[in-house]
Amino acid sequence: MRIHFIAIGGSAMHNLAIALHKKGYQVTGSDDAIFEPSSTRLANYGLLPEKMGWFENNITEDLDAVILGMHALTDNPELLIAQELGLKIYSYPEYIYEQTKEKLRVVIGGSHGKTTITSMILHVLNYYGKDIDYLVGAQLAGFDTMVKITESAPVIIIEGDEYLASPIDRRPKFHLYKANIAVISGIAWDHINVFPTYADYTRQFELFIDTIQTNGTLIYCEADHDLNEIVNASKALVNKIPYNIPDHRIDNGITYLLPGEVPLEVFGDHNLMNLNAAKLVCQQLYITEQQFNTAISSFSGASKRLEIVSIMDNTNVYKDFAHSPSKLKATIEAVKMQFPTRKLVACIELHTFSSLNKDFLSQYDSSMSKADVAIVFIDKKTFIHKKMEPFNEMDVQSAFKDIRIVFFDDISLLETYLTNMNFRDTNLLMMSSGNYSGLDLVNLARELNTFM
């Protein structure tokens, strides 16, 4: 098979390219810019394009398939040639289905927790040496790549994103996988550039349920009121299994599952709900509850999901991918509940199109109220890059309904503010889907004052 990737440098795209290369396919690709870690990883497999840019001679009649990434535009010269030649053009979710339509497909959907639930399932199945394929949105300990597709594995675990499949396929990705077993972790409005109203957004989850194969299984969070209504109203012929927060206790910063007193390395109500979803999926795959508990106790979390940066006496520094209002609120509450006697300094970088839209900003109402010190950072260059109207501190405080919020749009000023604070008996939580303008969080943690 000869496969060409247009926009090979994307997170999912380059991992799929590597997976198909490992499968023995002849893989080529192009992009106008490829960043780390994609460039090094592609180079390690001989898949990094020699030159950046789009070249019409990359597209030839003998290609079996062209896989189109979301980063490409509809007038991409390689895409236009592929269309002119009548080649089969797939989005990457479409091609994942094409490669796995004879397998049992487990698809993890929802506005939050997808990566963690998928990672938990993979951790448990890997613990017991199960032969599985997968697609996950973060690099996991013990896994070489974020995508694996083989001939032998009977099951694939897929993190199912609700964003669009490709520039020429405007369907949400998770609609294309046709799940046999599906999870919906909850619904919180996101991607307003594509789904301008909450009704538009929730409709995608109604349609997702309809894509579950007849007599399949839907595992869903019953703590989410709107999701409950959608599931109960659905006429889909599927087995519906609800879940909630499992019984647990917290002692000296460690969470234990009850009744077995199973110690966990992760914490927070949202992660405990994620754990219950993963357990129910694993039970569908013939992993017993006892087996699950044994394996999950060593799960340390997905990358950038309450990932520990530093532990110094009574000061922990965490980084987290949280960026939407629901994720922000849940992550702050998790750290406060786990360490109730410590102060919490919480900082969020607003970085996505939705979070930088003034019509959406009010969704952050009271989302940082549990933090002792609440900080919002927006790199002023981001507004210029996205051609959006800048916010000031008053805009942010008004939208968050929190006059305590300290606002920064210059990373050097934020770094100075944090290093001048007293972090004795205080945790720091740095949340972003970006990178804080390249701020070195490990170095920042070393510079915090924990001795005043």
Side-chain angles (χ1 to χ4, degrees):
M1 293 287 286
R2 294 195 64 236
I3 312 293
H4 181 74
F5 284 74
I6 301 176
I8 195 172
S11 177
M13 289 284 281
H14 89 272
N15 274 285
L16 177 56
I18 292 169
L20 295 179
H21 171 77
K22 286 182 171 183
K23 197 174 180 181
Y25 288 14
Q26 186 177 339
V27 174
T28 58
S30 57
D31 214 319
D32 57 355
I34 300 179
F35 303 100
E36 293 294 355
S38 302
S39 58
T40 295
R41 299 180 76 231
L42 286 169
N44 288 342
Y45 290 94
L47 299 176
L48 184 67
E50 291 183 8
K51 291 192 295 185
M52 291 299 109
W54 316 112
F55 303 99
E56 293 182 3
N57 59 5
N58 284 333
I59 308 300
T60 55
E61 291 182 346
D62 58 347
L63 287 172
D64 294 294
V66 172
I67 302 179
L68 179 65
M70 195 64 205
H71 166 63
L73 301 177
T74 55
D75 62 354
N76 183 286
E78 294 186 12
L79 171 61
L80 295 178
I81 292 294
Q83 290 172 323
E84 185 179 314
L85 292 175
L87 298 177
K88 182 60 181 174
I89 301 167
Y90 296 90
S91 64
Y92 91 76
E94 229 180 349
Y95 200 73
I96 292 287
Y97 173 73
E98 187 68 22
Q99 289 279 303
T100 62
K101 55 190 176 185
E102 302 304 322
K103 300 177 186 284
L104 181 76
R105 294 175 303 284
V106 179
V107 181
I108 315 303
S111 304
H112 39 248
K114 295 186 293 291
T115 300
T116 298
I117 295 169
T118 308
S119 302
M120 287 175 167
I121 295 166
L122 292 177
H123 176 85
V124 172
L125 296 177
N126 192 48
Y127 184 93
Y128 291 107
K130 301 294 184 181
D131 184 16
I132 48 168
D133 287 346
Y134 55 82
L135 186 164
V136 63
Q139 190 61 52
L140 306 181
F143 294 83
D144 293 335
T145 58
M146 293 158 58
V147 179
K148 178 187 169 194
I149 299 176
T150 64
E151 296 289 351
S152 61
V155 175
I156 182 166
I157 313 297
I158 300 171
E159 179 179 339
D161 186 5
E162 68 271 24
Y163 201 69
L164 304 181
S166 86
I168 61 173
D169 187 345
R170 310 296 287 178
R171 293 173 294 175
K173 296 184 186 78
F174 67 166
H175 290 180
L176 305 182
Y177 299 124
K178 302 179 183 178
N180 303 105
I181 300 170
V183 172
I184 303 180
S185 62
I187 300 176
W189 189 22
D190 202 353
H191 309 306
I192 67 166
N193 55 320
V194 177
F195 310 114
T197 69
Y198 182 61
D200 293 330
Y201 185 71
T202 57
R203 176 64 179 152
Q204 308 316 309
F205 292 90
E206 294 172 9
L207 294 172
F208 174 55
I209 295 172
D210 290 339
T211 69
I212 301 170
Q213 301 301 281
T214 301
N215 299 320
T217 298
L218 171 61
I219 296 164
Y220 68 98
C221 179
E222 65 178 344
D224 186 310
H225 176 266
D226 290 353
L227 175 56
N228 249 322
E229 288 194 345
I230 288 170
V231 172
N232 289 333
S234 173
K235 299 288 195 294
L237 298 176
V238 298
N239 181 33
K240 301 171 183 177
I241 305 176
Y243 68 90
N244 212 313
I245 301 171
D247 291 338
H248 66 281
R249 70 180 182 89
I250 301 171
D251 184 15
N252 197 27
I254 297 176
T255 297
Y256 297 85
L257 279 182
L258 300 176
E261 295 287 337
V262 178
L264 300 175
E265 294 189 33
V266 295
F267 60 86
D269 285 354
H270 64 305
N271 271 330
L272 289 166
M273 282 196 282
N274 293 337
L275 182 149
N276 247 0
K279 180 179 72 173
L280 288 168
V281 169
C282 287
Q283 286 176 347
Q284 295 291 314
L285 302 176
Y286 307 105
I287 300 291
T288 67
E289 183 170 2
Q290 183 176 347
Q291 287 174 321
F292 179 86
N293 288 347
T294 298
I296 204 65
S297 64
S298 59
F299 177 74
S300 58
S303 175
K304 297 181 183 177
R305 273 70 176 180
L306 275 177
E307 181 178 336
I308 193 75
V309 175
S310 170
I311 298 176
M312 302 171 289
D313 298 322
N314 290 321
T315 300
N316 291 4
V317 178
Y318 297 94
K319 64 178 175 180
D320 195 275
F321 194 70
H323 55 277
S324 67
S326 61
K327 294 173 184 175
L328 175 61
K329 188 170 187 280
T331 306
I332 288 173
E333 290 179 354
V335 178
K336 275 305 280 186
M337 286 181 65
Q338 198 72 4
F339 302 96
T341 63
R342 296 186 195 177
K343 286 177 60 179
L344 174 60
V345 177
C347 181
I348 173 73
E349 177 184 16
L350 298 183
H351 176 77
T352 65
F353 180 91
S354 294
S355 65
L356 296 177
N357 187 299
K358 279 196 172 178
D359 293 333
F360 185 81
L361 195 63
S362 62
Q363 299 292 315
Y364 286 92
D365 180 355
S366 304
S367 59
M368 300 188 80
S369 61
K370 295 291 178 68
D372 297 287
V373 178
I375 304 167
V376 173
F377 170 73
I378 308 172
D379 188 334
K380 52 191 168 189
K381 296 174 189 171
T382 304
F383 286 114
I384 298 170
H385 176 69
K386 295 183 184 287
K387 299 178 181 176
M388 300 179 77
E389 182 184 349
F391 301 151
N392 58 36
E393 186 171 69
M394 188 174 295
D395 293 329
V396 173
Q397 290 176 344
S398 175
F400 279 69
K401 290 190 170 49
D402 194 340
I403 61 171
R404 304 172 307 132
I405 284 179
V406 186
F407 175 74
F408 293 95
D409 60 8
D410 184 313
I411 193 60
S412 61
L413 295 178
L414 171 60
E415 189 171 6
T416 299
Y417 179 82
L418 291 172
T419 53
N420 285 335
M421 288 184 68
N422 177 7
F423 274 89
R424 184 179 177 86
D425 296 322
T426 302
N427 289 333
L428 174 62
L429 174 58
M430 301 290 288
M431 297 166 286
S432 176
S433 61
N435 68 353
Y436 282 99
S437 304
L439 178 65
D440 186 335
L441 294 183
V442 173
N443 188 60
L444 172 66
R446 289 195 199 103
E447 294 180 353
L448 295 180
N449 185 350
T450 61
F451 302 108
M452 285 185 185

